[in-house]
Amino acid sequence: MKILVTNDDGIEDIGLCELVKAISSQHEIYVVAPDRRYSGFSGAVSFYQPVSVKRWPLFLGETVSYKVSGTPSDCVMIALDELVGNVDLVISGINDEPNLGDDIRFSATLGACREASFSDISAIGLSLNCDSGEKYYNTLTEFLEKLLFKWKQIKIPKEVYLNINCPNIPLSQIRGILFVPAGRCRYKNRVQLVQDMPEPAYIIHGTKIDEEDKYTDSWAVRNGYISITPLHRDQTDQTILSYLRNVKESIM
């Protein structure tokens, strides 16, 4: 397959490099990735400002790679419209932190996937649930190789992108894969004052609240499973849309 690879951690990040090394021998790989970390930027686009592009060989088996002075969504747009053209699949990652539950809304890893879906390109976001110590990227890349081998048989609609999260453990310890919905991922003490005078300044960084819901993405990863959650570019609530159409006369 012809695959575009990007991420939100920068083109030289080890997760992206491990991904490219793992799949470049079997697929035609193009890398278009940011020049720095863009965690938390979601689907942000650099409107009305120049975004520079530079050839940046990784020598990891890719066909060509580019470093971009913009967000992951910028990278996808520029790649599809100018640098690479149409591809079979966009893969974003490997992120070195999980993208689970409510945190999905912040993720620039998934922002790139969402941007691909708006161009009718299938996409996969890859995240490893890392903390400290050794990082088992090979657990996720070995699973990905199996997934890509059967990708055309799976027939994921192009308006859907997959959010895949993996525990940071050896492959031999993975209990399996679970197709699960996104759960909650909430925080307390989200806003902290770090400077009072002359003007107040705050830092946003809370403490995660443990959630009880079973068989969600967070629960799956916490219990040793690779979680796969399909996400849709259309955020319309079809049930409420139908309800509102039925009650519109009482509203007017």
Side-chain angles (χ1 to χ4, degrees):
M1 285 193 293
K2 185 178 180 181
I3 298 175
L4 170 65
V5 172
T6 191
N7 71 351
D8 74 347
D9 293 320
I11 192 168
E12 295 181 324
D13 183 75
I14 186 172
L16 181 143
C17 293
E18 291 297 320
L19 169 60
V20 174
K21 280 195 297 184
I23 64 175
S24 60
S25 63
Q26 299 296 320
H27 301 277
E28 183 182 349
I29 303 301
Y30 296 82
V31 179
V32 183
D35 59 356
R36 60 185 176 89
R37 194 175 182 95
Y38 277 94
S39 296
F41 273 65
S42 188
V45 176
S46 303
F47 289 119
Y48 311 120
Q49 54 183 304
V51 176
S52 65
V53 176
K54 183 178 182 180
R55 285 276 189 108
W56 200 261
L58 297 174
F59 305 107
L60 297 173
E62 77 277 10
T63 300
V64 66
S65 54
Y66 299 91
K67 181 168 70 172
V68 177
S69 69
T71 67
S73 291
D74 292 336
C75 292
V76 171
M77 281 189 182
I78 293 171
L80 297 180
D81 288 16
E82 291 291 332
L83 301 177
V84 180
N86 195 42
V87 296
D88 299 306
L89 180 66
V90 171
I91 302 180
S92 183
I94 299 171
N95 201 52
D96 61 359
E97 294 177 327
N99 283 302
L100 299 165
D102 298 341
D103 283 351
I104 288 172
R105 71 191 192 276
F106 300 126
S107 172
T109 299
L110 295 175
C113 296
R114 187 164 57 251
E115 191 56 52
S117 75
F118 281 111
S119 295
D120 289 325
I121 304 293
S122 298
I124 298 172
L126 299 173
S127 302
L128 192 65
N129 187 25
C130 293
D131 187 6
S132 58
E134 185 174 357
K135 296 180 180 180
Y136 292 94
Y137 290 109
N138 65 301
T139 300
L140 191 45
T141 57
E142 288 187 37
F143 166 73
L144 177 66
E145 289 178 76
K146 295 177 182 179
L147 178 64
L148 294 181
F149 182 74
K150 297 184 177 181
W151 183 254
K152 292 183 180 179
Q153 301 174 35
I154 300 173
K155 297 180 180 178
I156 302 294
K158 293 180 179 179
E159 64 270 19
V160 173
Y161 51 102
L162 299 184
N163 180 26
I164 300 179
N165 285 272
C166 182
N168 186 36
I169 55 178
L171 183 62
S172 61
Q173 296 179 21
I174 293 292
R175 298 176 65 184
I177 63 171
L178 288 179
F179 296 93
V180 287
R184 299 304 310 269
C185 187
R186 294 173 290 178
Y187 297 83
K188 59 184 178 182
N189 304 321
R190 294 183 300 175
V191 180
Q192 300 163 29
L193 181 69
V194 293
Q195 175 182 302
D196 194 7
M197 300 293 289
E199 296 178 347
Y202 301 88
I203 187 169
I204 298 175
H205 186 276
T207 302
K208 189 173 290 188
I209 300 170
D210 290 334
E211 303 290 346
E212 298 294 329
D213 291 345
K214 288 187 176 182
Y215 302 107
T216 64
D217 52 0
S218 296
W219 183 93
V221 171
R222 192 165 59 247
N223 285 275
Y225 295 93
I226 295 173
S227 75
I228 303 180
T229 302
L231 303 174
H232 203 290
R233 70 184 178 206
D234 182 2
Q235 299 183 67
T236 306
D237 188 315
Q238 298 293 342
T239 301
I240 299 301
L241 179 60
S242 297
Y243 165 75
L244 291 173
R245 283 172 174 163
N246 289 331
V247 302
K248 68 177 180 180
E249 296 301 327
S250 63
I251 296 174
M252 298 300 292

